[in-house]
Amino acid sequence: MTAITDLSVLLATMEPELVAGEFVYCTMPASQPGDYLHLRPLALFHEAEGLTLILPQDTADEADLQASAPLRQITLKVHSSLEAVGLTAAFSHALTEVGISANVVAAYYHDHIFVPAADAERAVETLRQLSAASRS
């Protein structure tokens, strides 16, 4: 799988896919990340204020953790290069235009967008429209 840097190709082929389930962001005191691996976080990030975990909502509920509002994950199926310029700006702008907040996690192969659960279907449709428009 070759990473793509061309913005027009990225937009035309991004294929947004809504991932099953709801996710939440939780924060923990700064410590060893291994202390939380049993929770099987989707992602974790160290910040000066603490450790942020992205977890399935049911995992956070079972562990009795304080969490953000429920979010849905949209994965862009295109293999975007970590050096690609403009993809995040383009989809963020499209979602901003329809009033949907976006929390973005870029991984090695794909970009993942976490949106409020109530807005998930509308967000996917907005991204599909952006992709279709870029093919025109």
Side-chain angles (χ1 to χ4, degrees):
M1 184 182 283
T2 302
I4 300 168
T5 58
D6 184 294
L7 180 59
S8 61
V9 173
L10 288 167
L11 291 171
T13 61
M14 63 182 177
E15 296 183 55
E17 177 179 278
L18 189 59
V19 174
E22 293 186 347
F23 299 89
V24 292
Y25 280 54
C26 300
T27 185
M28 307 295 190
S31 68
Q32 298 299 319
D35 294 347
Y36 305 105
L37 291 180
H38 70 281
L39 297 172
R40 302 192 59 175
L42 186 60
L44 56 97
F45 197 89
H46 289 269
E47 297 181 282
E49 299 83 359
L51 186 65
T52 298
L53 304 175
I54 303 175
L55 299 169
Q57 179 156 17
D58 59 349
T59 299
D61 290 346
E62 288 169 14
D64 198 29
L65 300 174
Q66 280 192 311
S68 67
L71 304 167
R72 296 289 308 273
Q73 177 186 347
I74 300 168
T75 296
L76 303 183
K77 300 303 286 184
V78 66
H79 182 187
S80 55
S81 169
L82 293 170
E83 284 112 24
V85 175
L87 179 61
T88 303
F91 68 67
S92 293
H93 178 75
L95 293 172
T96 296
E97 289 293 308
V98 296
I100 299 174
S101 68
N103 297 282
V104 182
V105 175
Y108 188 83
Y109 292 103
H110 305 288
D111 290 276
H112 308 273
I113 310 163
F114 292 87
V115 300
D119 295 327
E121 297 291 341
R122 194 164 55 95
V124 170
E125 183 56 32
T126 298
L127 296 172
R128 286 184 179 146
Q129 289 173 5
L130 173 63
S131 185
S134 70
R135 292 189 293 267
S136 302

